[in-house]
Amino acid sequence: MPKIVILGARPAGSSAGYHLAKSSHQVMLIDKDCFPRDKVYGDVISLESVQVLSTMGIYPQDIESLASEYAQIDGLLLGVSNEINHLQDTHLKGYCIPRFVFDNLLYQKAINAGCVARTQKITNIERYHP
Ligand SMILES: Cc1cc2nc3c(=O)[nH]c(=O)nc-3n(C[C@H](O)[C@H](O)[C@H](O)COP(=O)(O)OP(=O)(O)OC[C@H]3O[C@@H](n4cnc5c(N)ncnc54)[C@H](O)[C@@H]3O)c2cc1C
């Protein structure tokens, strides 16, 4: 029987599950939703997040391959009401990855680390891949 139950299998739950399972804990990941699924999101993975992800064995080259169809962010594009776009110089740099793909990457890491899942599964993720 799992000794630790985590409610919510998105970034926080999956990464917590990954690290706990890697530390030899028995972990059950439960999500109330059909999982993985898309989410309203900016799709931005900041460079700070990329550093944290390396602790889960997800390295910049993995992120880049997932983001290859999308932009590497060098600035923040702001749309304003007069329809003029401004590319602002900003500290926010990173990658753009569909949330569906990103969440699934973390989820699979948790499962591969040994977490037992109690979620539904969608298998048509291919449509989100380049
Ligand atoms: C509009 C918007 C845009 C955003 N854009 C960005 C962005 O571009 N870049 C960025 O880094 N962050 C962005 N964020 C923030 C980001 O979405 C959150 O920081 C992140 O999703 C938090 O992850 P989490 O795992 O803590 O929670 P969540 O992603 O909210 O996941 C919680 C999970 O718990 C499950 N759950 C809830 N209650 C239960 C229950 N009782 N039993 C079982 N399961 C349960 C839910 O189904 C869900 O899957 C954005 C947020 C919003 C709202």
Side-chain angles (χ1 to χ4, degrees):
M1 276 293 286
K3 297 285 192 293
I4 297 172
V5 175
I6 297 175
L7 296 182
R10 287 259 175 115
S14 286
S15 52
Y18 171 89
H19 289 292
L20 288 165
K22 281 285 183 186
S23 302
S24 303
H25 292 286
Q26 290 178 290
V27 182
M28 180 180 281
L29 258 181
I30 300 177
D31 202 292
K32 67 181 172 65
D33 280 333
C34 188
F35 190 90
R37 67 174 168 86
D38 219 341
K39 177 183 190 301
V40 175
Y41 188 61
D43 286 350
V44 174
I45 309 297
S46 69
L47 291 187
E48 288 85 353
S49 301
V50 171
Q51 286 175 4
V52 172
L53 290 169
S54 66
T55 67
M56 295 178 69
I58 300 168
Y59 298 105
Q61 58 269 29
D62 305 318
I63 302 288
E64 272 178 33
S65 69
L66 288 172
S68 58
E69 194 186 9
Y70 305 91
Q72 180 172 343
I73 299 163
D74 290 322
L76 191 60
L77 193 63
L78 299 178
V80 293
S81 55
N82 65 3
E83 297 182 351
I84 298 171
N85 289 326
H86 299 279
L87 185 62
Q88 285 211 340
D89 193 16
T90 171
H91 71 283
L92 178 64
K93 298 187 191 305
Y95 299 96
C96 237
I97 298 175
R99 181 65 189 259
F100 187 99
V101 173
F102 180 66
D103 281 5
N104 193 55
L105 177 68
L106 300 188
Y107 177 74
Q108 291 303 329
K109 278 282 175 185
I111 300 306
N112 292 341
C115 290
V116 174
R118 285 290 178 274
T119 56
Q120 297 180 59
K121 188 154 177 62
I122 296 173
T123 54
N124 64 347
I125 189 170
E126 290 78 18
R127 72 192 171 97
Y128 287 91
H129 277 302

